[in-house]
Amino acid sequence: MLTPAQYQLSTVHGELREHSGLSGHMEKQQQMKAALQRCIDRHKDELHSLSLDIWSRPELAGNETHAHDRLVRFFSQDQTWTVESHYKLPTAFRASWGAVGCGEGEQPGLNVGFLCEYDALPGIGHACGHNLIAEVGAAAALGLKAALENQTELPEPVKITVLGTPAEEDIGGKIQLIKAGAFADIDLVFMAHPAQQDASFLPCVAIVEVSVKYHGKASHASAYPWEGVNALDAAVLAYNNLSALRQQLKPEWRLHGIIKHGGEKPNIIPAYSELEFYLRTPLVKDLCDLKAKTEACFRAAAVATGCQVEIIYPTDGYDSILPNATLANLYENNGKALGIQFPEQPANFSGSTDFGNVSFIVPGIHPFFYICTDAFNHTEEYTEAAGAEKAQLYTLRTAKALAMTAVDVVCCPVLLRQVREDFRLAKLKQEK
């Protein structure tokens, strides 16, 4: 039995068969896919060097100056790319190529975007493999460029844009770039993230960070305790309130956090305490419910202890990733042709990414790929794996599958319409 997405693709192929020259159309796509694979293989040493250079000098979110400069140099060495350094953010960049497949004077009709991440984690470096994300984005863009060069009869003119998107691990660089208009002219977006297995889609969840500050009154804890208002008690009560709340949360909802500040000395009643929590839900709309429940817990602790409370959301929340069945099935088909295996995906996956926010404004895909390790992300073992040479086969294979998927869509208006329809329906489902 076909899945709905597979049925859609079979319908697409049925529509194509109604047109004359189908075999020529398919042969042309295969030639383009072969060209992009050869291109990526030809540049594999440069791409590995790029990735390893970023990996060996890990930089925290917003401070990725070396990675930024390295990627800018990588694209600038080919003068057919138009490269903008420090693009809208200090460590973001933009590289553009094209348009092709159009007559003289025509404007690009379809702008295909590839995203590069390159920030690291405190203390453990590239434990999430963002150096490999940068490599995949660069390799896929080079591959698609090779596939499109000298093409004069595309359904509509095509342009390629590579965006360097910093600070995913902290402030959400993609969200800042969205606000600055960096995605305004992009029609499709592609990115891939290293993980423990290959998957065309994993249901990343929406997340928001909340900072809670309690203000009390200091006093000598032994001589005059009745004069104090204990802010640490408020923090502990709030923490326990949230622990009790977990019993009434939906199974896929998550809340987790720490007490960041609890006082100065044991003999001084703490006048100030602070907590930091992350709240996660599969649907963006559910975050409103979870925020209301947690805020009640925070305020109750303030009332019980007599403290004043500040509840602050210091950064923009990350949205869940919208699925796109057509792109996912195309990616799987191309991946399987390259030898990628796609085991059954886990029922629940509680990771979060600012790509989710991008997926709400531009149709796109964010597959995950295996890098020859069973270690989990955000561990020292994964840092080592992200810099290992054996990860290269899987990284470049993923880049090829992404670029091949882009070829399918830019060559077939029927598929492009279906991708956009999937995007529209996925947004409607989130809003219900």
Side-chain angles (χ1 to χ4, degrees), residues 195-197 370-377 379 381-382 385 390:
Q196 288 70 54
Q197 67 177 58
Y370 175 71
I371 62 167
C372 201
T373 181
D374 294 326
F376 291 104
N377 299 62
T379 64
E381 293 79 9
Y382 209 84
K390 61 185 179 182

Side-chain angles (χ1 to χ4, degrees), residues 32-349:
M32 294 171 69
K33 291 180 180 182
L36 73 85
Q37 293 179 58
R38 290 193 299 269
C39 172
I40 292 173
D41 287 338
R42 191 164 59 248
H43 291 281
K44 65 180 182 179
D45 292 340
E46 297 169 59
L47 290 161
H48 186 198
S49 176
L50 172 69
S51 172
L52 196 58
D53 201 3
I54 294 171
W55 178 86
S56 64
R57 292 181 60 175
E59 298 165 303
L60 300 185
N63 297 289
E64 313 94 328
T65 54
H66 172 71
H68 165 275
D69 294 348
R70 184 66 172 83
L71 283 155
V72 166
R73 288 198 306 273
F74 179 83
F75 283 100
S76 296
Q77 66 189 356
D78 180 350
Q79 294 186 0
T80 64
W81 290 92
T82 300
V83 183
E84 299 173 74
S85 59
H86 313 295
Y87 179 72
K88 299 187 182 296
L89 295 176
T91 55
F93 75 91
R94 180 182 178 112
S96 302
W97 177 86
V100 294
C102 57
E104 186 176 351
E106 288 187 45
Q107 295 300 311
L110 187 64
N111 191 351
V112 179
F114 295 95
L115 305 187
C116 297
E117 290 180 8
Y118 34 85
D119 59 325
L121 288 158
I124 52 176
H126 280 286
C128 210
H130 287 193
N131 60 303
L132 299 179
I133 297 176
E135 182 180 2
V136 166
L142 290 188
L144 183 59
K145 173 179 176 288
L148 294 176
E149 284 176 325
N150 303 317
Q151 296 295 326
T152 58
E153 296 183 358
L154 296 172
E156 59 181 312
V158 179
K159 179 179 180 179
I160 301 173
T161 295
V162 182
L163 279 181
T165 62
E168 189 276 337
E169 295 286 0
D170 189 8
I171 63 171
K174 295 181 192 62
I175 302 171
Q176 306 306 312
L177 288 170
I178 289 170
K179 291 179 177 179
F183 289 89
D185 63 342
I186 295 178
D187 300 291
L188 294 170
V189 66
F190 295 84
M191 175 184 150
H193 197 299
Q196 288 70 54
Q197 67 177 58
D198 284 285
S200 59
F201 174 77
L202 288 177
C204 290
V205 298
I207 182 174
V208 67
E209 175 187 350
V210 57
S211 176
V212 183
K213 302 178 180 183
Y214 290 105
H215 301 275
K217 180 183 177 184
S219 181
H220 195 293
S222 178
Y224 314 107
W226 54 86
E227 292 292 330
V229 178
N230 197 317
L232 177 58
D233 281 348
V236 171
L237 283 175
Y239 192 96
N240 288 332
N241 287 346
L242 295 175
S243 295
L245 175 65
R246 285 192 181 93
Q247 300 176 72
Q248 270 63 56
L249 297 182
K250 293 181 179 180
E252 64 273 17
W253 291 12
R254 297 286 186 273
L255 61 88
H256 43 92
I258 59 171
I259 297 175
K260 291 183 66 175
H261 191 283
E264 304 298 338
K265 291 185 65 177
N267 63 347
I268 303 173
I269 288 178
Y272 174 78
S273 68
E274 182 178 350
L275 303 94
E276 182 178 349
F277 267 79
Y278 290 169
L279 316 179
R280 305 182 195 245
T281 61
L283 299 178
V284 174
K285 64 180 182 179
D286 287 342
L287 270 181
C288 295
D289 292 338
L290 185 54
K291 285 167 67 175
K293 292 176 183 294
T294 56
E295 286 184 15
C297 291
F298 297 137
R299 297 188 193 284
V303 171
T305 57
C307 290
Q308 300 296 313
V309 62
E310 295 179 78
I311 301 174
I312 302 165
Y313 296 94
T315 61
D316 294 292
Y318 290 8
D319 293 343
S320 52
I321 296 180
L322 287 184
N324 193 290
T326 299
L327 286 176
N329 277 274
L330 289 170
Y331 178 80
E332 286 197 18
N333 290 340
N334 287 305
K336 289 174 181 176
L338 296 169
I340 299 176
Q341 297 180 358
F342 294 92
E344 184 177 351
Q345 72 177 45
N348 295 307
F349 181 75

